[in-house]
Amino acid sequence: MNDKPDLSQYEEALRYHAQGKPGKLEIVATKSVATQQDLSLAYSPGVAGPCLAIADDPECVYDYTTKGNRVAVISNGTAVLGLGNLGALGSKPVMEGKAVLFKRFADIDCFDLELDTENVDEFVNCVRLMGPSFGGINLEDIKAPECFIIEQRLREEMDIPVFHDDQHGTAIICAAGIINALDLTGRTLKDCKVVVNGAGAAAIACLELIKAMGLPNENAILCDTKGVIFKGREDGMNQWKSAHAVTTDLRSLEEAMVGADIFLGLSVKGAVSKEMVQTMADKPIIFAMANPDPEIRPEEIAEVRKDAIVATGRSDFPNQVNNVLGFPYIFRGALDVRATTINEEMKIAAAEALAELAREDVPDEVAAAYKGKRPIYGPEYIIPVPFDPRLISHVPTAVAKAAMDSGVARRPIIDEQAYRNVLRARLDPTAGSLQLILDEVRAAPRRVVFAEGEEEKVIRAAVEFLKAGYGIPVLIGREDEIRKIMAEIGIEGSENIEIYNAREMEHREKYYNFLYERLQRKGYLRRDCARLVNRDRNIFAACMVAMGDADAVLTGVTRRFSVAFKEIQKVIDPKPDQLVIGVSVIVGRDRTVFMADTTVTTLPTAEELVTISKETAEVARRLGHEPRVALLSYSNFGNPKHYTADSVREAVEMMDREELDFEYEGDISADVALDPDLMASFYPFCRLSGPANVLVMPGLHSANIASKLMPVLGESKVIGPLLVGLSKPVQIVPIGATVSDLVNMAALAAHEAGQ
């Protein structure tokens, strides 16, 4: 059994799961239920219509219910992560997390179901009887050998896909990597000797899949804790191991490794030595996938074999074998053709699609996460990364096609390109783009000053920022007080956090001089500037960044935006020819909208509205969106006409005289800008090709009110407001920001420092 995570991470995870509504999931109605008429259609008496239609033709269930996009994530908790048998309830956070991944990566809705039984018959009967409710079944964290029996029986008894991800998810990603490793080394499976260490569910699934892809049975040697699984062995055997037993005189892993072309490890840390690696064939392919620590670390392999291609299960090494590359997209393809099962052809198609994707040119948004060096297909890039935006259109299409070709699809796809377009539209790019930005920050860490360093929330965020690898956090405050708070809340891993108190800093005189030079003609004496640096943490933090002693500032936890911004302005100027604005990123259930200016400009002029439009469009692009800008008003194209909308219309006229590389329109009301049907019906001349995703507000009052209403009244999360246009990176968070918000905003500030 693995140890718990370190105390601070453990406590932070508990807070994360407990804050707001406990857990990570909720059910949201997709139809209006606001009126009595709505309710009479959603339930009695109107619901009788779809009930009768489904009773008459069961296939109608896909037209009138959620079945076609619903997967059950089911466990009994007998093998939870690396934690062992935690029971049904103990597995629930993991199953909820799995459901979140299904939604995040493939827009699949899930119910997590935890079954309180270790009896195979009870488990199978329970799942089988729930079959009509779901389009697919994802089995998770069930111990071997029961997982083999359960999956096989359910596949035989149900007419929907049943997939044990711990087995097949790992196998598919592993197979994708092997395809490319073989390609790079000029070999084929039929000519390779393969050694697999670990005879659990994932290891056996990996072996079975590569055999289905062409590996001869006699070319594979499976090992467990007792050594080689050979014909005639009786100790520690079962029918699944016996299926892979071979006639051989080899008895140990060390002996089996001699001359091996491929090693697949799904066992334990340290199972493989450097001496074993030395005895392998030329250009060995080594997939050391034990978690959290591999059988042998990549740097140990490199010491003895420079010609090896290596993959692990970890994100901090190249070529991560990560199941999230597989299961969301495999189910997406299977659901979309209403497949009756997920067969070997579909698994192989998924592996080949992933391998093919790794061989293609990498898009800019993925390249940015690789320390500015575009990854190129080769020994250190044989498997795509999880946040590659092409996965959603690439893998499901291949899976769906394989289902059709193998005869298990009940609703074939007629137009493949149209299907790819539908898949791309399923996911909002914001989350993926944010993750890629975070990856880029991790590749080039920065020093970020957390100005309110004595706040518990800020201290926790600084620790998480450091652990995430985003850079060095610098806390401003009294060191004894900060250390005291750290001790009280059990913070660990704070050794590399820097702490500064302006009154005690050795070189603070240079900040006094810098600030005095800026403010001396604005009524400030030098002693006034010294007092500001010593007493105001925002000014001290901003001076550190202005003088090059740090890269970015994060503040706002204890002071309102207007107060904090006024202090920052004393130290840091806007960029030349730019307007400082606030951009709120509103992430809804099915779209992201960028709203500006939500913090700075009270009543923007026409010229300022043009600048706000350009700067916000650039933010949208940076986060993966092609901007469609709407300059909002209460009127639509002059109706009703009123002087308060004149600046909006004038701004649009000014933009017409420029050659801009994004769509824009105005004056236009919010409902028309966001509703393409309304736009097409009443304003067919509108220049936007779809709903607006950049909303330029006519004034600060409307922008600020709207951005703060959205997370309270709507199903939206607001990121920011992001402060745009200063010459040095500064982000001011809302007073109620969470630790997670602080970490993300600090990372965004660090990212800006690297631009």
Side-chain angles (χ1 to χ4, degrees), residues 338-635:
R338 299 179 190 169
T340 57
T341 188
I342 294 174
N343 56 27
E344 293 302 299
E345 292 89 343
M346 295 161 73
K347 296 173 194 173
I348 293 171
E352 291 176 343
L354 287 167
E356 179 186 337
L357 196 59
R359 294 194 294 269
E360 293 183 0
D361 186 45
V362 172
D364 291 340
E365 56 264 48
V366 175
Y370 282 81
K371 302 182 181 180
K373 181 180 178 182
R374 182 179 296 273
I376 299 173
Y377 175 57
E380 293 197 345
Y381 183 68
I382 58 174
I383 302 172
V385 294
F387 287 90
D388 191 320
R390 301 169 298 174
L391 287 164
I392 184 62
S393 60
H394 208 81
V395 180
T397 304
V399 171
K401 189 173 185 302
M404 293 187 288
D405 292 344
S406 60
V408 299
R410 288 178 286 200
R411 189 185 71 169
I413 290 167
I414 307 302
D415 186 336
E416 183 177 315
Q417 186 55 51
Y419 176 55
R420 287 181 183 271
N421 293 340
V422 169
L423 288 170
R424 291 189 188 100
R426 273 191 172 275
L427 296 182
D428 189 291
T430 304
S433 299
L434 280 173
Q435 184 58 46
L436 290 168
I437 285 173
L438 297 180
D439 289 343
E440 186 175 352
V441 173
R442 193 179 286 113
R446 301 284 171 175
R447 285 166 53 83
V448 175
V449 184
F450 292 73
E452 297 145 309
E454 293 181 9
E455 297 296 313
E456 178 183 327
K457 188 188 298 185
V458 175
I459 294 171
R460 291 187 185 278
V463 172
E464 294 306 313
F465 182 88
L466 177 67
K467 288 182 178 178
Y470 298 146
I472 301 298
V474 178
L475 293 174
I476 303 302
R478 295 164 295 175
E479 183 167 2
D480 56 347
E481 182 65 22
I482 292 172
R483 296 292 181 194
K484 176 184 174 184
I485 295 170
M486 286 179 173
E488 289 174 351
I489 61 180
I491 286 289
E492 298 177 7
S494 61
E495 297 80 10
N496 293 322
I497 294 177
E498 299 178 13
I499 301 173
Y500 290 102
N501 183 343
R503 290 179 178 274
E504 300 171 2
M505 189 174 180
E506 186 176 346
H507 304 295
R508 62 186 182 277
E509 288 284 334
K510 66 178 181 179
Y511 298 157
Y512 301 165
N513 295 335
F514 168 78
L515 192 61
Y516 180 53
E517 187 174 336
R518 286 181 55 85
L519 301 181
Q520 58 189 326
R521 292 184 178 276
K522 297 181 180 180
Y524 288 83
L525 301 176
R526 189 178 184 281
R527 65 187 181 191
D528 298 326
C529 294
R531 190 178 300 112
L532 284 173
V533 171
N534 288 336
R535 295 183 179 180
D536 193 302
R537 292 171 185 173
N538 284 335
I539 287 179
F540 178 55
C543 284
M544 289 187 73
V545 173
M547 297 292 290
D549 295 330
D551 298 305
V553 176
L554 184 79
T555 187
V557 171
T558 61
R559 302 183 189 183
R560 296 186 62 83
F561 179 94
S562 57
V563 175
F565 183 55
K566 185 176 181 180
E567 292 162 350
I568 295 295
Q569 283 180 300
K570 288 184 171 71
V571 184
I572 297 175
D573 293 323
K575 293 178 182 176
D577 302 320
Q578 281 202 246
L579 192 65
V580 179
I581 64 171
V583 180
S584 294
V585 186
I586 301 167
V587 183
R589 289 184 61 231
D590 56 1
R591 74 173 83 184
T592 292
V593 172
F594 299 82
M595 184 181 292
D597 174 8
T598 58
T599 54
V600 181
T601 315
T602 305
L603 286 173
T605 64
E607 291 82 1
E608 288 171 333
L609 287 172
V610 173
T611 302
I612 292 169
S613 298
K614 293 177 182 177
E615 292 182 8
T616 312
E618 180 57 34
V619 173
R621 278 220 174 99
R622 201 162 68 236
L623 290 176
H625 296 257
E626 187 56 36
R628 294 185 296 275
V629 179
L631 288 87
L632 295 187
S633 174
Y634 71 95
S635 63

Side-chain angles (χ1 to χ4, degrees), residues 8-80:
S8 62
Q9 184 182 43
Y10 181 70
E11 294 294 335
E12 183 61 28
L14 292 179
R15 280 191 296 275
Y16 170 82
H17 282 78
Q19 67 185 6
K21 296 179 180 179
K24 299 184 284 279
L25 300 169
E26 68 175 345
I27 296 174
V28 177
T30 59
K31 305 293 188 295
S32 173
V33 288
T35 67
Q36 182 61 42
Q37 173 66 8
D38 293 338
L39 295 174
S40 70
L41 293 172
Y43 197 55
S44 182
V47 75
C51 290
L52 292 170
I54 293 167
D56 184 57
D57 178 6
E59 285 299 299
C60 286
V61 71
Y62 292 98
D63 300 321
Y64 300 125
T65 76
T66 61
K67 178 181 173 74
N69 197 50
R70 181 81 68 187
V71 167
V73 178
I74 306 179
S75 180
N76 62 1
T78 51
V80 180

Side-chain angles (χ1 to χ4, degrees), residues 535-754:
R535 295 183 179 180
D536 193 302
R537 292 171 185 173
N538 284 335
I539 287 179
F540 178 55
C543 284
M544 289 187 73
V545 173
M547 297 292 290
D549 295 330
D551 298 305
V553 176
L554 184 79
T555 187
V557 171
T558 61
R559 302 183 189 183
R560 296 186 62 83
F561 179 94
S562 57
V563 175
F565 183 55
K566 185 176 181 180
E567 292 162 350
I568 295 295
Q569 283 180 300
K570 288 184 171 71
V571 184
I572 297 175
D573 293 323
K575 293 178 182 176
D577 302 320
Q578 281 202 246
L579 192 65
V580 179
I581 64 171
V583 180
S584 294
V585 186
I586 301 167
V587 183
R589 289 184 61 231
D590 56 1
R591 74 173 83 184
T592 292
V593 172
F594 299 82
M595 184 181 292
D597 174 8
T598 58
T599 54
V600 181
T601 315
T602 305
L603 286 173
T605 64
E607 291 82 1
E608 288 171 333
L609 287 172
V610 173
T611 302
I612 292 169
S613 298
K614 293 177 182 177
E615 292 182 8
T616 312
E618 180 57 34
V619 173
R621 278 220 174 99
R622 201 162 68 236
L623 290 176
H625 296 257
E626 187 56 36
R628 294 185 296 275
V629 179
L631 288 87
L632 295 187
S633 174
Y634 71 95
S635 63
N636 284 296
F637 309 105
N639 184 19
K641 189 173 180 60
H642 195 271
Y643 73 92
T644 54
D646 287 348
S647 60
V648 177
R649 287 192 289 275
E650 185 180 344
V652 174
E653 292 170 0
M654 293 173 66
M655 293 167 76
D656 287 342
R657 294 193 289 270
E658 298 188 40
E659 293 185 3
L660 301 176
D661 61 352
F662 56 84
E663 297 178 14
Y664 60 91
E665 189 59 280
D667 57 311
I668 188 171
S669 63
D671 55 343
V672 174
L674 297 171
D675 186 340
D677 292 333
L678 198 58
M679 193 186 300
S681 297
F682 295 95
Y683 307 99
F685 56 85
C686 183
R687 293 178 287 195
L688 299 180
S689 61
N693 55 14
V694 174
L695 304 181
V696 176
M697 307 298 280
L700 179 59
H701 54 294
S702 57
N704 192 270
I705 291 168
S707 66
K708 290 181 177 178
L709 278 175
M710 292 301 296
V712 179
L713 299 181
E715 298 163 8
S716 304
K717 173 180 174 60
V718 176
I719 300 172
L722 307 179
L723 198 56
V724 177
L726 284 173
S727 58
K728 298 289 183 179
V730 177
Q731 292 300 336
I732 303 173
V733 301
I735 287 179
T738 65
V739 170
S740 178
D741 293 333
L742 291 171
V743 174
N744 288 335
M745 291 291 280
L748 288 170
H751 179 262
E752 185 183 349

